[in-house]
Amino acid sequence: MYLCQTMKKEDLFKRLVSHCKEYGYIFQSSEIYDGLSAVYDYGPYGVELKNNIKQYWWKAMVQMHENIVGLDAAIFMHPTVWKASGHVDAFSDPLIDNKDSKKRYRADVLVEDYLAKIEKKIDKEVEKARKRFDDFDEEMFKKTNGRVLQNQEKYDTINKRLVEVMTNEDMEGFKTLIEDLKIACPESGSRNWTDVRQFNLMFSTQFGALATGENTVYLRPETAQGIFVNFLNVQKSTRQKLPFGIAQIGKAFRNEIVARQFIFRMREFEQMEMQFFVSPGEEMKWYHYWKEFRLKWHKTLFPATKLRFHDHEKLAHYANAAADVEFQFPFGFKELEGIHSRTDFDLKSHQEHSGRKLQYFDSEKKEHYVPYVVETSIGVDRMFLAILSHALQEEEVPDAKGGTATRVVMKIPAVLAPIKVAILPLVGKSGLPEKAREIFADLKWICECQYDEKDSIGRRYRRQDAIGTPFCVTVDFETLEDNAVTLRDRDTLEQVRLPISELAGKISEKLNFSNLWKEEAAVEA
Ligand code: GAP
């Protein structure tokens, strides 16, 4: 049973945050100094899961595509990079302050929250009707129900105004929209707002000893630009032909105005980005390819019902098409990944600002041109949150006395789990620890293992369930006689007896990354 089915969504989220701390996944940065807002540290299990997510992405993007190669560019870049990319002039969010609470908000988020409430009303009507009718036709109901239609119209009108003020950067219009909707400050409840103004999200610092304006450098707000400025270096050194891609994983920094919802929106975070360079005119074909490929990747980890596309109406300054893969977080469907058709904007702009040619020679067409780019961009931390919020579950399981007990379990896909195998001697004496340590010494070459002999076996199983360990190997007195152990499966609770000699093979088979793709393919078939 998923936690979200048994408890309110807000409670699930609170539970997740405290679970992450209690079990060594995530800690608030500088906690002993009361923390630093929207900055987090990953604990012993967190860092393992994060590394596994990155590895899974890298395998799917680089290892599985012969025409995609990797890169690790520096965080610091020449300041003109950010002028050329448009970030100095246009990477800002509209902010507004409430004069009574002195709280600062993103104006677009205030309106989006308002829209989410309307969406919730529509969902409620649908759910009510679903319970009433046996063969319920959701699409028909939405097209014909008066209350739904009224709310949908209200939603569309407000959304259109939001897109307009955002596209036209109409800060006055933004304030009027907030006033017209009578949006109050969630903290003070008042509607005493300042004007809306733009706020640049880049962090800057000084390079070298002199603190003059000329020495200002930025902490990169996206990893993509490191790929663009290296486009020709990579193409020439690896003799790539279009279409080809460059993938990179690395830190990015944004001075977010509203940094909230735990690791969903952070000021320091990590991105996994891939820029796919194509011939002009081919970008839409590849845009659709990457949308579908990325959705398939997510479907290897989540049920399809928790995923959806959101096609953008308001496009960023560099894009001619864009979509988000949204995931159903405990606080609703939100962006998990962006897929953007970035045209030739970035390469052309770097060409102009640097005075260097960033062109590809097409040997078939016998011409030079600036390629177009399709980008896939996902936050590691956001993916981490998606995985944990789907994995954390509470369920009834049989207890030792024939009754039932409640267990908290993290059903993280086995290949991503921080610890893959716990090796547990039934008791901490009589030769069992020695035998268990022998097994540990063998299995540690294959995957991340943990040895534990403290507490009763039941408590140790519960602890491994809470960490998300998919397999427990129990060494008991019979093991000393027959060289066999019990292998316990976290999800099914099934326990099988098998010879120690078969353990490594069995576990390796279960931890093969390709299983995820095969399972997804089976669901589709
Ligand atoms: N290069 C394109 C780009 O950066 P974006 O939509 O601004 O596009 C891409 O960001 C992804 O990075 C998002 O879908 C999200 O997963 C992640 N991301 C963006 N801002 C973030 C933040 N403040 N905290 C955590 N993740 C963030």
Side-chain angles (χ1 to χ4, degrees), residues 450-469:
Q450 197 170 76
Y451 172 86
D452 188 8
E453 62 174 50
K454 272 184 242 136
D455 292 326
S456 72
I457 192 73
R459 287 187 84 158
R460 278 181 278 163
Y461 283 154
R462 293 292 165 269
R463 183 168 164 77
Q464 293 301 333
D465 286 345
I467 292 168
T469 307

Side-chain angles (χ1 to χ4, degrees), residues 221-222 224 254 256 263-267 269 271 273 275 318 335-338 340 342 375 377-379 381-382:
E222 62 171 13
R254 295 182 189 179
E256 299 283 1
I263 56 169
F264 181 80
R265 198 176 300 286
M266 303 157 88
R267 296 204 165 100
F269 58 101
Q271 286 186 316
E273 296 201 298
Q275 311 295 322
Y318 50 73
E335 173 185 345
L336 175 58
E337 167 157 15
H340 313 120
R342 291 184 77 128
E375 164 186 76
S377 174
I378 177 168
D381 314 84
R382 220 171 261 192

Side-chain angles (χ1 to χ4, degrees), residues 95-258:
L95 71 82
I96 190 165
D97 293 285
N98 183 268
K99 291 182 195 162
D100 299 321
S101 67
K102 308 270 182 281
K103 285 266 167 197
R104 180 161 288 180
Y105 298 94
R106 259 176 66 177
D108 55 329
V109 172
L110 285 179
V111 179
E112 274 168 11
D113 286 350
Y114 188 95
L115 286 172
K117 280 185 197 149
I118 302 177
E119 227 178 5
K120 230 179 182 172
K121 278 188 194 163
I122 296 174
D123 289 348
K124 241 182 172 172
E125 290 293 340
V126 171
E127 285 321 308
K128 248 176 29 197
R130 192 190 306 283
K131 279 185 196 142
R132 255 187 293 136
F133 305 109
D134 281 344
D135 52 350
F136 178 63
D137 182 342
E138 183 173 330
E139 223 171 283
M140 182 57 77
F141 178 76
K142 281 180 161 172
K143 274 191 206 149
T144 50
N145 179 273
R147 271 193 297 269
V148 170
L149 286 174
Q150 215 176 7
N151 275 318
Q152 191 60 51
E153 195 189 334
K154 195 171 164 193
Y155 182 98
D156 292 342
T157 313
I158 297 169
N159 195 35
K160 191 162 165 258
R161 280 182 71 185
L162 176 64
V163 171
E164 267 165 21
V165 293
M166 294 280 284
T167 310
N168 303 332
E169 295 190 17
D170 173 8
M171 297 301 118
E172 254 178 61
F174 228 135
K175 176 139 189 222
T176 313
L177 177 58
I178 287 170
E179 284 171 344
D180 288 353
L181 297 176
K182 298 191 170 46
I183 294 177
C185 167
E187 195 92 359
S188 67
S190 93
R191 294 192 217 124
N192 194 7
W193 296 110
T194 61
D195 288 341
V196 181
R197 56 202 187 285
Q198 292 282 24
F199 174 79
N200 194 293
L201 301 184
M202 279 198 296
F203 284 103
S204 63
T205 186
Q206 300 303 317
F207 212 60
L210 288 179
T212 67
E214 283 151 40
N215 292 340
T216 300
V217 289
Y218 299 99
L219 296 187
R220 66 181 177 197
E222 62 171 13
T223 59
Q225 297 305 323
I227 295 180
F228 290 124
V229 300
N230 277 297
F231 159 68
L232 268 193
N233 284 337
V234 174
Q235 190 262 321
K236 289 196 166 145
S237 59
T238 55
R239 300 185 306 154
Q240 296 293 335
K241 279 190 172 248
L242 292 189
F244 78 94
I246 305 178
Q248 171 165 230
I249 300 177
K251 288 264 181 171
F253 304 83
R254 295 182 189 179
N255 197 4
E256 299 283 1
I257 304 165
V258 188

Side-chain angles (χ1 to χ4, degrees), residues 292-355:
E292 287 312 316
F293 184 87
R294 292 305 305 151
L295 184 66
K296 187 172 155 73
W297 188 83
H298 289 289
K299 279 166 104 187
T300 63
L301 301 169
F302 306 119
T305 49
K306 285 204 163 183
L307 297 162
R308 70 181 188 193
F309 280 127
H310 166 73
D311 292 306
H312 284 211
E313 288 176 47
K314 179 190 182 292
L315 293 171
H317 58 274
Y318 50 73
N320 67 358
D324 296 335
V325 175
E326 291 189 337
F327 174 78
Q328 192 176 28
F329 288 97
F331 38 84
F333 270 102
K334 297 274 175 210
E335 173 185 345
L336 175 58
E337 167 157 15
I339 293 113
H340 313 120
S341 172
R342 291 184 77 128
T343 67
D344 56 357
F345 173 86
D346 302 87
L347 288 181
K348 258 200 175 140
S349 188
H350 285 306
Q351 196 169 252
E352 277 159 27
H353 282 79
S354 67

